[in-house]
Every structure is written in structure tokens, then in C-alpha cells.
Amino acid sequence: YTLFVSFFPQLIAGPIIHHRDILPQFQALEVTPTNRKTFFPELFEHVAIGLTIFCLGLAKKVLLADKFATIASPLFELADRGELLTIAQAWSAAIFYTLQLYFDFSGYSEMAIGAARLFGITLPINFNSPYQAVSISDFWRRWHITLSNFLRDYLYIPLGGSRSGNVYLNLFLTMLLAGFWHGAGWTFI
């Protein structure tokens, strides 16, 4: 339990994992005289895959998200000072902020997944090309997958989900609590 709670790769930026998904992986990492010959070659494979995923996530964060921020942030600062933006500036701010947000979250998640894989632990994917979604519901199935699963399993379904009670109230309460989880300000709600 202590290892699960303190396993650092996913602690800050996710993905959100359930103990039932990771504890068996911790137990499988034990080196014994019977698995010694297969354990170390598998470990080298985990390290190679982990470094690749980590580097891809780092590239998303540094090369993409941070660059998009240099375009979006000044435009939001202009608007914050009360200056009127042109239509092109407003659309640019919205689009580049959207890309910055995605590549930040996706990059951090991939860095966590890669870091965990260095230790032989496989974490679930957290983003599945959400901007290729064909509908809003498809988008939510692809965006921050582990948070959506957590909200579904621990809030929406216990509230009654779509089977009991007021479906819209259950959904509203779930999203309200998700807003509080992101930050205790009205902008998050």
C-alpha cells in the first residue's frame, strides 16, 4: 500500500490509477531464482519503452505546449488589460491555448507513463487523440481518460448514474465536484 501511495510518476499530473490495477504489477516485479533469466531482459525492454514514451511527453511539453503558450499568453494578457482583440487574435488565442492545454496535459501524462515504465510498471493511457473525436461524447471518452473513469466509478454511478434518480442532477453534481477537484474557484466550476 505504501509503495502504491508513494509511487511518484503519477502523483502530480496523473494518470489517476486504482490500486487494483497496479498492485499486481508491483508483485510481479519480484526477482526470484526461477524468473531471474527472464526478468532482466524484460526490464531492459521496459527501460527502452519508458525512455521513448518519456521523451515523447517531454517533447510535447517543451517543444509544443510551451511554444503555443508564447503565442496564447500575450493575447490573453491583452484581453485581461481590457484591450479589444481582433477576430484573428481572439481565434488565435483560443486555438493556441487549446493546443497548449492538450500538449501540457498529454505531455505530463506521457512523462509519468514513461517514468513508470522505467520501473516495469504499465500505467493506462490518459489521452487518446481527443481532437480527432467525432462528437462531444467521443471527445470526453478520449480526454483525461483516467479522470473520467474515476468520476464515473466513484461519483456518477454511486449517485445513481443514468439508472436511478435524476440523471441530469447526477451529471450536474459529478461535473460540479470535478470542477472543485480542478480548483476551488468559480472559474473551474
Side-chain angles (χ1 to χ4, degrees), residues 7-10 13-15 25 43-58 105-126:
F7 190 60
F8 70 91
Q10 92 295 348
Q25 292 185 62
L43 183 62
F44 289 122
E45 181 179 328
H46 286 300
V47 168
I49 292 170
L51 282 173
T52 301
I53 294 171
F54 185 89
C55 289
L56 288 172
L58 183 62
F105 285 160
S106 178
Y108 281 133
S109 290
E110 287 178 10
M111 289 168 67
I113 291 167
R117 193 66 184 261
L118 291 172
F119 295 99
I121 301 298
T122 303
L123 299 181
I125 66 165
N126 210 16

Side-chain angles (χ1 to χ4, degrees), residues 124-186:
I125 66 165
N126 210 16
F127 292 88
N128 185 14
S129 303
Y131 292 136
Q132 293 180 8
V134 294
S135 67
I136 294 293
S137 58
D138 187 28
F139 176 84
W140 281 112
R141 277 191 289 276
R142 295 166 172 253
W143 181 274
H144 210 326
I145 297 166
T146 59
L147 175 62
S148 296
N149 291 344
F150 176 84
L151 293 172
R152 181 196 64 217
D153 295 344
Y154 292 101
L155 292 174
Y156 184 68
I157 290 174
L159 287 170
S162 61
R163 297 180 184 231
S164 66
N166 184 329
V167 174
Y168 296 108
L169 178 62
N170 296 341
L171 187 58
F172 174 78
L173 290 173
T174 300
M175 296 311 287
L176 179 70
L177 292 170
F180 279 126
W181 179 83
H182 278 89
W186 286 110

